[in-house]
Amino acid sequence: RLTKSGKMLYRKRSQTIERSFADAKQLHGLRYCRFRGREHVQEQALLTAACQNMKKIANHLARLA
């Protein structure tokens, strides 16, 4: 994290990974859990991640067309 390459990677992480979590919270309802229990909360998180991935694929395919 303190080296030159580490700083570059950390900057890239904040643009990609952290943005994904922010989108999940704001756009896909991960700010609050809708269900109780670890299994149900994990299911909600996985479905949210699947939706985000499908959205990325759709945007990528739209750029190709």
Side-chain angles (χ1 to χ4, degrees):
R1 169 176 75 83
L2 300 176
T3 64
K4 188 175 183 177
S5 63
K7 288 179 182 181
M8 250 176 51
L9 286 172
Y10 193 75
R11 199 174 313 124
K12 187 173 182 175
R13 175 183 180 260
S14 69
Q15 294 171 357
T16 56
I17 303 299
E18 299 296 332
R19 187 71 239 157
S20 178
F21 284 112
D23 286 344
K25 283 176 68 175
Q26 289 181 358
L27 303 175
H28 299 287
L30 269 190
R31 190 171 297 274
Y32 303 103
C33 297
R34 297 180 189 274
F35 307 105
R36 290 184 176 256
R38 187 177 75 77
E39 294 85 12
H40 293 293
V41 172
Q42 186 176 14
E43 184 178 330
Q44 179 185 356
L46 290 174
L47 285 172
T48 299
C51 289
Q52 285 182 306
N53 288 337
M54 285 187 273
K55 200 161 73 170
K56 283 183 184 180
I57 291 169
N59 285 334
H60 180 72
L61 291 175
R63 279 190 226 123
L64 293 178

